[in-house]
Amino acid sequence: MTGRLQGERALVTGSTSNIGRAIAERFAAEGAHVIVSGRDVARGAEVVDGIRAAGGRADFVRADLDGSPGASRALAEQAAAALGGGIDVLVNNAGVYPPGTTATTDEQTFDRVYAVNVKAPFFLTAVVAPEMAAAGKGAIVNLGSWVARLAVPVGALYASTKGAMETLTRAWAAEFGPRGVRVNAISPGVILEPAPGEPHPGEVMMNGTPAGWLGKPRYIADAAVYLASGEASYLHGTVLDVDGGRTSTAVIAA
């Protein structure tokens, strides 16, 4: 790796698996000291051990981001302490996806999904961004989703939360950008890591796209490194589509 995040202190929420794990591992490989965060202590330890074995710096902070300001503040404070006093890069990745349609979604599910996907990152950013602004620099990367703009018949609740995060990205860029904090987002496409040789039903969703295949978590990690690094110093309020062309292009076979 090239050390593009050398010396940076990063917190990645929901980083014990999938996209979050890939981001944490890539950040560490690029020189950042990373806080791996999630609810599962065993999985968190596994990620941290892997990063350290590869020569990187990482620590685990357990967090159950339930949407309460207290939970978000506690994570921010514990992460900053473990990082030696501050957070330079925040990745708001933690989220939940409930299957189902609008008619089958009950109020408890609605409240939980908004609590985890919107309230938790909102209150975490409310703690971290002002501290970054006081230091005169920082980068926040939010995770949106392709379904926020290209609608599908299921998952309306989840899609609406990701639309909210993309809107918050622009609002926070306006609020904190003038004080040195860059806020951008990644909109992943269909990102899965299927077992070798086993087809996945999600593959059909990439038919007719330029890429033509399922995305991998490392593609999102690549984008996160870019947005967190100085290479993206002129980007504010941008939503970067990393979806194989799913939301922008249709390939019509002759």
Side-chain angles (χ1 to χ4, degrees), residues 11 35-38 59-63 74-75 78-79 82:
L11 166 60
I35 295 300
V36 175
S37 179
D59 293 285
F60 176 71
V61 174
R62 187 188 181 280
L75 172 58
Q78 292 172 43

Side-chain angles (χ1 to χ4, degrees), residues 21 41 65 111 118 124 131 140 149 152 169 176 185 191 194:
R21 176 173 183 165
V41 175
L65 294 175
D111 289 344
V118 181
L124 184 57
E131 295 294 327
I140 297 174
R149 275 166 292 143
V152 294
T169 296
F176 299 108
I191 306 296

Side-chain angles (χ1 to χ4, degrees), residues 26 88 92 121 161 232 237 248:
R26 183 66 191 281
D88 302 309
N92 284 313
T161 66
S248 62

Side-chain angles (χ1 to χ4, degrees), residues 28 38 61 78 88-89 109 116 118 144 147 149 171 193 219 238 244:
V61 174
Q78 292 172 43
D88 302 309
V89 181
T109 300
V116 176
V118 181
V147 296
R149 275 166 292 143
E193 200 76 82
Y219 300 157
T238 294

